[in-house]
Amino acid sequence: MLTIGIDTKKKEPIYEQIYKYIRNEIKNGTLTRGTRLPSSRKFAEYLDVSRNTIDLAYSQLLSEGYVESKPKKGYFVADVDEILEISDVLQEEEETAGKKETLPYEFAPSGVDMGHFPYNTWRKLMKNVLMDDNSEIFQKGDSSGDYELREAIRIYLHQSRGVICNSSQIILGSGMEYLLLLLSQILGTDYTVGMENPTYLQAYRVFTQLGYKVLGISMNEMGMRIDELAKSDVQIAYVTPSHQYPTGTVMPINRRSALLKWAAEKEHRFIIEDDYDSEFRYYGKPIPALQGNDKNGKVIYMGTFSKAIAPAIRVGYMVLPKQLLAIYQEKLSFYSCTVSRIDQAILSEFIREGHFERHLNRMRTLYKGKNQYLMQQLKIFGEDIIVKGSSAGLHVLVEFKGLEDHDRFEKSLYEKGVKIQRISHYYITGKPEKECYILGFARLGETQIREGILIIKDLYDKFRIRKEE
Amino acid sequence: MLTIGIDTKKKEPIYEQIYKYIRNEIKNGTLTRGTRLPSSRKFAEYLDVSRNTIDLAYSQLLSEGYVESKPKKGYFVADVDEILEISDVLQEEEETAGKKETLPYEFAPSGVDMGHFPYNTWRKLMKNVLMDDNSEIFQKGDSSGDYELREAIRIYLHQSRGVICNSSQIILGSGMEYLLLLLSQILGTDYTVGMENPTYLQAYRVFTQLGYKVLGISMNEMGMRIDELAKSDVQIAYVTPSHQYPTGTVMPINRRSALLKWAAEKEHRFIIEDDYDSEFRYYGKPIPALQGNDKNGKVIYMGTFSKAIAPAIRVGYMVLPKQLLAIYQEKLSFYSCTVSRIDQAILSEFIREGHFERHLNRMRTLYKGKNQYLMQQLKIFGEDIIVKGSSAGLHVLVEFKGLEDHDRFEKSLYEKGVKIQRISHYYITGKPEKECYILGFARLGETQIREGILIIKDLYDKFRIRKEE
DNA sequence: GGGTATTTGTCCGTATGTATG
DNA sequence: TCATACATACGGACAAATACC
């Protein structure tokens, strides 16, 4: 008889304990293939539990393939080589997959703080979605997304971003990459795309992958240089005017006008406005989207809930000018919307019931606090650094004075557990005049920020001194 | 087993619904005296509710005298003659008028029966996913999909479809359209695609939209004609060998070998195997996927959970041959996975815990019943029709003899509330020798099937007679 | 070798505790 | 507090396999 200590007092169910015990015995080879398990009666009597408790444990083992049942004869340990192999492979691959080991101090510009995700609200809404009288949502939905959600987004974009459109112009899709794919089907790929340099590389990769010619357009403190744009043969300008990625530059009104004017000059010119983190602005008045000033149907506005809610949600949207919408409807409306309708329904309620706004405010306060704390900590550098773009977004830009060997500096930081990205990696062509470091703070707590900055300071001093020697 | 659609979403308690349903069945004589009710366990599992819920319903029936309990044996329908006289409450269920535009008798080949979706299980898994304190799933995930889900799919595909691959070859995406988009990025669009004629038009639209040259290849009773394929300059063959859409043809083994051989002959030939509804096969042994016999890395296997679980889920997968996987990893792995990670986590658990298999079995039984009922009802046509493709899938093909003006027939049907699609609409080029009608039955109840068929019969007689006059 | 008692998997109804709203 | 639903655990009934006389 197997020796097993069961604990009725524990919250873990008895059958679960039995199941796990036997499973382990099988896994580690104590119980070999073909061995007969004790009969449910004997075992039940021995353990002084009900037979059905044993039954439950046995049937779980059965359904997972650890044992086989021969009716009226007994339960026998199955050939578990396959199962074992699978879990072995699983472990191995997990090791390799988990190779993107997270360092203790990741100042990554991507990523958001999920500690404050409204799990309970989300769960409640989920439940409602599944309970409500709408099994209809389990059928196929609208090609560009559910009307309710598009309408909710329209209202939100209108009120908080000044975007002017009607809900039919909004196309939902699972992520910006997919939306760009769709857009490429609308526009065709026979264009040259102009991107701010440096820029959001993910978008750059998509464009080049899709076969676009991509040109990096220089930036100054007002954003993309329109004169350079006008001289080039670029027809599509991809910009992030609200908060340029990664520099944090905000495009002022006259530059915006110039950009819109540029687009209006020729028929096949368009502007893709990626409003990727417009939600988080801490000082000064919010800057409306470019799209709101576009009178000529030239701006394709794109946004996402990845930063504001969670990357896992994977809901993005784009607002098409009517001219392009017509093409979409004619040529592409047979594509089904890629966003799960359950998520759409939840998100729709989330916005409509005001949770989104509350959540945004909460997160804005939270991030503002982190931002301020980071700025506070950075003061230990005194005059040795220049900080840029700290009034918005989830990262700041830092230029360390008197630093030359950036590669070694970055590597040393990495070895100390600090991961920082450099702005030069975001350049399509050329290099920055001054190397800058991108300090994302969204996922970090105050302790991490403080300790991380101290490590950076420490190394910075070493590297700087070494240079001066 | 009793067929009963329960509505977790209605405010009416589940046990009340069960109670009323059985009471009605007893009253109207469907359940006769002495009939044994399903055991609480079986019934609970079938309906995906707790046994106690069934118990509540049963004990209410018991206390009102509709059934008798024989301890340790079961519940049996009582002699209810007296009761019927007393409580003859002819209560009609609330007639919530249909709000949708849909016709009463939609024999649509798309769509699935959502009445038996395991809402409770799904909700429970959702809850776990959101509770499990693994806020990790709210961060950005693997480009081709979460490992756990891909591994679960791998095991499922291996066991039930004979697909041979490892989980890294599986790419998840939100829907077949998106996956074809991705695939086009891997292969390039400089190919000619050969499709079965008639075929799945959605795929056809995607291919043409993406710029592929598409050629319709004739079919015979064994599927796509390989001789015609070989003569053409087609390089990519899109096929549905398990259950051709829409004809229902199953590709036999020698035709499969010929197809694989065709692909192996030249380097840039590939086969896209769309296994869109392989889950539902009612007679004969299941047919393994083509992919399992492919020794040369030529088959791209595609599948989806839209039919087996719900279209709203929007999770599809494709299995890439290693050669193409390398290209994907090199060129496209920067694309984020388009499937919500929450859905991925839920689905992963759903499969791993065996719910998927149970659900499939339940749905197969359900659809088989509907299929049989439809076939039964079609007997009123006697020799006037030929039915094809009724051993699998969610639709059957019907050829009405002696019918000529199909347009007017279809229109008349529509006016009577019956919507049927014709096979000629699925042709890329040319027309069928004999027009056939596609009768999808997934979403219809028995009453709808019966009444719909009667309307069709009625109109058929009219149209036929008119012709003979 | 054939009948019989025992063992065994399987199925059954029942009872109690708990989470949720 | 109460209704609802689910999780866990209990012991009896049955038929097939098995052991034993």
Side-chain angles (χ1 to χ4, degrees), chain A residues 6-17:
Chain A
I6 58 160
D7 196 348
T8 353
K9 308 268 175 171
K10 270 205 290 191
K11 59 184 171 190
E12 190 176 23
I14 298 174
Y15 77 90
E16 187 89 9
Q17 296 179 45

Side-chain angles (χ1 to χ4, degrees), chain B residues 252-306:
Chain B
I253 183 70
N254 51 347
R255 181 66 57 98
R256 286 166 184 249
S257 305
L259 184 58
L260 287 170
K261 203 174 153 195
W262 166 85
E265 275 167 10
K266 292 200 181 160
E267 195 188 337
H268 285 283
R269 284 185 178 168
F270 292 100
I271 299 166
I272 300 175
E273 175 179 22
D274 189 348
D275 219 15
Y276 72 104
D277 74 348
S278 57
E279 296 88 357
F280 302 115
R281 180 150 195 88
Y282 314 120
Y283 307 100
K285 59 182 172 194
I287 300 143
L290 196 59
Q291 198 268 4
N293 293 318
D294 172 31
K295 306 293 175 203
N296 304 295
K298 291 297 191 175
V299 174
I300 297 133
Y301 178 89
M302 305 189 91
T304 166
F305 291 102
S306 296

Side-chain angles (χ1 to χ4, degrees), chain B residues 165-385:
Chain B
C165 66
N166 56 52
S167 55
S168 65
Q169 288 173 266
I170 298 177
I171 315 288
L172 301 183
S174 47
M176 189 227 37
E177 292 104 318
Y178 173 73
L179 289 169
L180 285 180
L181 263 172
L182 262 189
L183 188 60
S184 78
Q185 296 291 319
I186 298 172
L187 293 169
T189 54
D190 194 20
Y191 283 98
T192 302
V193 176
M195 299 185 84
E196 296 152 333
N197 194 24
T199 191
Y200 179 45
L201 283 190
Q202 192 73 356
Y204 171 72
R205 290 197 199 100
V206 174
F207 283 124
T208 50
Q209 171 58 39
L210 288 173
Y212 286 95
K213 249 176 65 185
V214 180
L215 221 60
I217 307 290
S218 309
M219 304 243 322
N220 59 15
E221 68 287 347
M222 290 165 75
M224 182 183 265
R225 285 182 51 185
I226 308 298
D227 52 343
E228 195 177 317
L229 183 69
K231 274 182 210 152
S232 72
D233 60 347
V234 162
Q235 291 132 314
I236 299 175
Y238 172 94
V239 288
T240 50
S242 308
H243 186 235
Q244 206 272 337
Y245 191 86
T247 63
T249 309
V250 175
M251 193 183 283
I253 183 70
N254 51 347
R255 181 66 57 98
R256 286 166 184 249
S257 305
L259 184 58
L260 287 170
K261 203 174 153 195
W262 166 85
E265 275 167 10
K266 292 200 181 160
E267 195 188 337
H268 285 283
R269 284 185 178 168
F270 292 100
I271 299 166
I272 300 175
E273 175 179 22
D274 189 348
D275 219 15
Y276 72 104
D277 74 348
S278 57
E279 296 88 357
F280 302 115
R281 180 150 195 88
Y282 314 120
Y283 307 100
K285 59 182 172 194
I287 300 143
L290 196 59
Q291 198 268 4
N293 293 318
D294 172 31
K295 306 293 175 203
N296 304 295
K298 291 297 191 175
V299 174
I300 297 133
Y301 178 89
M302 305 189 91
T304 166
F305 291 102
S306 296
K307 296 245 178 221
I309 298 184
I313 305 295
R314 289 218 72 71
V315 181
Y317 43 86
M318 72 179 164
V319 180
L320 291 178
K322 289 188 176 162
Q323 178 197 350
L324 298 182
L325 179 66
I327 302 177
Y328 168 83
Q329 283 169 339
E330 186 200 341
K331 282 172 47 182
L332 294 165
S333 55
F334 70 87
Y335 277 95
S336 308
C337 180
T338 52
V339 183
S340 150
R341 290 198 75 195
I342 305 176
D343 288 356
Q344 288 191 52
I346 296 169
L347 190 51
S348 179
E349 282 305 294
F350 191 75
I351 298 174
R352 200 205 317 280
E353 290 182 6
H355 298 294
F356 182 53
E357 203 177 328
R358 283 196 283 278
H359 181 242
L360 270 186
N361 290 334
R362 210 161 27 223
M363 296 309 281
R364 197 179 294 115
T365 313
L366 180 78
Y367 287 140
K368 185 177 178 179
K370 288 191 183 188
N371 181 307
Q372 283 174 336
Y373 190 81
L374 176 62
M375 295 301 287
Q376 183 68 33
Q377 298 301 309
L378 283 172
K379 282 191 178 153
I380 58 170
F381 284 93
E383 300 291 313
D384 293 335
I385 58 169

Side-chain angles (χ1 to χ4, degrees), chain A residues 262-275:
Chain A
W262 166 84
E265 275 167 10
K266 294 203 180 159
E267 195 188 336
H268 284 285
R269 283 185 178 168
F270 292 100
I271 298 166
I272 300 175
E273 176 180 21
D274 190 346
D275 217 14

Side-chain angles (χ1 to χ4, degrees), chain A residues 18-30:
Chain A
I18 299 169
Y19 153 77
K20 277 188 182 163
Y21 176 80
I22 297 177
R23 191 190 56 182
N24 283 340
E25 295 295 289
I26 294 173
K27 272 191 178 174
N28 66 27
T30 313

Side-chain angles (χ1 to χ4, degrees), chain A residues 207-272:
Chain A
F207 283 125
T208 49
Q209 171 57 39
L210 288 172
Y212 286 95
K213 249 176 67 187
V214 180
L215 223 59
I217 308 291
S218 308
M219 303 244 320
N220 58 16
E221 69 287 348
M222 291 166 72
M224 183 184 264
R225 287 181 51 184
I226 308 298
D227 53 342
E228 194 176 318
L229 183 69
K231 274 183 211 153
S232 73
D233 60 346
V234 163
Q235 293 132 313
I236 298 175
Y238 173 94
V239 288
T240 49
S242 308
H243 185 235
Q244 206 272 336
Y245 191 86
T247 63
T249 310
V250 176
M251 192 183 282
I253 184 69
N254 51 347
R255 182 65 59 97
R256 285 167 186 248
S257 303
L259 184 60
L260 286 170
K261 203 174 153 196
W262 166 84
E265 275 167 10
K266 294 203 180 159
E267 195 188 336
H268 284 285
R269 283 185 178 168
F270 292 100
I271 298 166
I272 300 175

Side-chain angles (χ1 to χ4, degrees), chain A residues 6-259:
Chain A
I6 58 160
D7 196 348
T8 353
K9 308 268 175 171
K10 270 205 290 191
K11 59 184 171 190
E12 190 176 23
I14 298 174
Y15 77 90
E16 187 89 9
Q17 296 179 45
I18 299 169
Y19 153 77
K20 277 188 182 163
Y21 176 80
I22 297 177
R23 191 190 56 182
N24 283 340
E25 295 295 289
I26 294 173
K27 272 191 178 174
N28 66 27
T30 313
L31 286 172
T32 52
R33 167 161 196 204
T35 312
R36 187 168 162 280
L37 295 185
S39 85
S40 64
R41 278 157 225 274
K42 286 281 173 62
F43 206 22
E45 194 187 351
Y46 176 71
L47 295 177
D48 193 32
V49 296
S50 163
R51 283 199 313 281
N52 272 53
T53 307
I54 308 290
D55 270 4
L56 256 179
Y58 279 13
S59 48
Q60 193 161 344
L61 289 164
L62 184 67
S63 72
E64 295 180 14
Y66 290 101
V67 303
E68 286 163 4
S69 149
K70 299 187 184 173
K72 324 294 173 184
K73 293 180 78 177
Y75 283 95
F76 299 84
V77 176
D79 187 359
V80 289
D81 282 352
E82 289 181 23
I83 304 174
L84 291 179
E85 211 177 326
I86 289 165
S87 48
D88 278 350
V89 172
L90 195 144
Q91 281 165 2
E92 275 177 38
E93 286 215 18
E94 254 178 340
E95 277 167 32
T96 46
K99 201 152 195 182
K100 50 171 185 179
E101 46 180 304
T102 47
L103 298 182
Y105 310 104
E106 290 224 22
F107 290 87
S110 66
V112 300
D113 186 327
M114 288 307 302
H116 294 74
F117 181 80
Y119 293 97
N120 287 322
T121 308
W122 199 261
R123 222 174 53 228
K124 203 164 59 189
L125 290 174
M126 259 184 183
K127 195 177 166 186
N128 287 343
V129 165
L130 282 182
M131 296 262 279
D132 272 1
D133 211 348
N134 52 359
S135 74
E136 187 269 331
I137 79 139
F138 272 94
Q139 302 294 347
K140 211 169 137 189
D142 191 289
S143 143
S144 46
D146 285 358
Y147 175 77
E148 285 77 15
L149 179 53
R150 284 185 289 136
E151 183 61 16
I153 291 174
R154 184 191 70 76
I155 294 170
Y156 164 70
L157 288 180
H158 181 68
Q159 290 177 349
S160 74
R161 304 295 304 131
V163 168
I164 297 161
C165 66
N166 55 53
S167 55
S168 65
Q169 288 173 264
I170 298 178
I171 316 288
L172 301 183
S174 46
M176 189 228 37
E177 292 104 317
Y178 173 72
L179 289 169
L180 285 180
L181 262 172
L182 262 190
L183 188 60
S184 77
Q185 296 292 318
I186 298 172
L187 294 169
T189 55
D190 197 18
Y191 283 97
T192 302
V193 176
M195 299 185 83
E196 295 151 335
N197 194 26
T199 190
Y200 180 44
L201 283 190
Q202 192 72 358
Y204 171 73
R205 290 198 200 100
V206 174
F207 283 125
T208 49
Q209 171 57 39
L210 288 172
Y212 286 95
K213 249 176 67 187
V214 180
L215 223 59
I217 308 291
S218 308
M219 303 244 320
N220 58 16
E221 69 287 348
M222 291 166 72
M224 183 184 264
R225 287 181 51 184
I226 308 298
D227 53 342
E228 194 176 318
L229 183 69
K231 274 183 211 153
S232 73
D233 60 346
V234 163
Q235 293 132 313
I236 298 175
Y238 173 94
V239 288
T240 49
S242 308
H243 185 235
Q244 206 272 336
Y245 191 86
T247 63
T249 310
V250 176
M251 192 183 282
I253 184 69
N254 51 347
R255 182 65 59 97
R256 285 167 186 248
S257 303
L259 184 60

